[in-house]
Amino acid sequence: SQGFLTIFAGEPGTGKTSLCNILGKALGLFKEENSRYLEVSIEKGWTSKRDFIGYYNPLSQKFDSMNKIVFDGFELLDKEKKDRNENYPFIITLDEANLSPMEYYWADFMNNCDLENEFRSINMGENYIYALPKNLRFLATINYDHTTEVLSPRLIDRAWIILLEISSIDINNLININIDSVGYKNGGKVTFLDKNTDTSLY
């Protein structure tokens, strides 16, 4: 919650993607329609935001979305920003984020890492300019091997990086906690609910 971009780094099998999914589920962001948790699988060779989101086609005078769920997500966030509704988290996970250089396809977002800036936006061409509200966060998973790109100092300076190491955990020994997910009440205030009684814990 402290930064615009949080990167989970580590070897394959350390649970990077699973952790992102757990965070999304714990925050109650998974929905059948208008999900507030989006997972994007990065492909090798991406060079700009047109690969990530899409681009304005001057011939058809329409926006060609390369990833419709992401484009729809930005439309929703822009509407919420205009309605001054920024209480509920929205997470976009970049899975295998460094298969292509993040400084290329994520460049427009690097200039918007300041969470205190009320006028953050991204220009996708022509009149497709969308506000980036304060409730938007990016998560990214990266591996370190010969198939991936190295993160630049410019990107590292703007991100929180968490290194996950391989560990053996016996899930049978974990304590069963009766917390299902995070509820949002009282104008966005986080309330933890006991899933057995549906009452507030704190």
Side-chain angles (χ1 to χ4, degrees):
S1 65
Q2 297 182 35
F4 190 49
L5 170 66
T6 301
I7 298 175
F8 296 102
E11 297 180 22
T14 52
K16 301 182 295 296
T17 304
S18 296
L19 179 56
C20 294
N21 290 331
I22 289 170
L23 288 172
K25 184 177 180 181
L27 292 171
L29 304 183
F30 284 96
K31 300 178 181 179
E32 291 185 9
E33 295 183 6
N34 297 325
S35 176
R36 304 187 69 83
Y37 178 90
L38 307 180
E39 184 176 330
V40 181
S41 297
I42 307 304
E43 299 180 19
K44 200 167 186 65
W46 285 12
T47 59
S48 70
K49 66 176 177 286
R50 67 182 292 163
D51 298 305
F52 175 34
I53 307 170
Y55 65 99
Y56 175 78
N57 189 329
L59 298 178
S60 64
Q61 296 186 341
K62 295 189 302 183
F63 190 89
D64 292 337
S65 57
M66 304 301 289
N67 198 328
K68 190 174 186 308
I69 61 168
V70 175
F71 178 73
D72 291 346
F74 283 114
E75 284 200 319
L76 174 64
L77 288 169
D78 184 70
K79 181 179 183 304
E80 290 181 349
K81 175 73 174 178
K82 291 174 180 176
D83 294 340
R84 299 185 180 276
N85 179 17
E86 301 176 69
N87 295 321
Y88 309 106
F90 195 104
I91 292 177
I92 300 177
T93 293
L94 309 173
D95 196 28
E96 306 287 352
N98 62 335
L99 279 179
S100 291
M102 290 187 69
E103 294 79 4
Y104 293 169
Y105 69 85
W106 205 71
D108 291 65
F109 298 97
M110 288 181 64
N111 300 325
N112 287 283
C113 285
D114 183 8
L115 296 176
E116 302 304 319
N117 183 1
E118 288 292 323
F119 304 101
R120 300 185 308 167
S121 64
I122 180 171
N123 188 337
M124 301 184 195
E126 199 62 18
N127 295 322
Y128 292 91
I129 302 174
Y130 294 117
L132 300 177
K134 62 182 181 181
N135 55 321
L136 171 64
R137 294 290 188 275
F138 281 90
L139 303 178
T141 68
I142 64 171
N143 293 315
Y144 289 118
D145 57 37
H146 66 282
T147 67
T148 59
E149 303 288 340
V150 177
L151 301 182
S152 72
R154 189 164 67 101
L155 179 67
I156 293 173
D157 185 57
R158 290 167 168 80
W160 296 86
I161 301 179
I162 299 173
L163 179 62
L164 300 181
E165 299 179 352
I166 295 178
S167 61
S168 57
I169 299 176
D170 184 359
I171 61 172
N172 295 320
N173 293 330
L174 295 179
I175 299 174
N176 182 24
I177 301 174
N178 291 324
I179 296 178
D180 188 19
S181 63
V182 176
Y184 298 95
K185 295 181 178 179
N186 304 323
K189 181 180 178 182
V190 175
T191 304
F192 289 90
L193 303 177
D194 187 317
K195 65 182 181 182
N196 294 325
T197 62
D198 197 32
T199 56
S200 300
L201 297 178
Y202 55 87

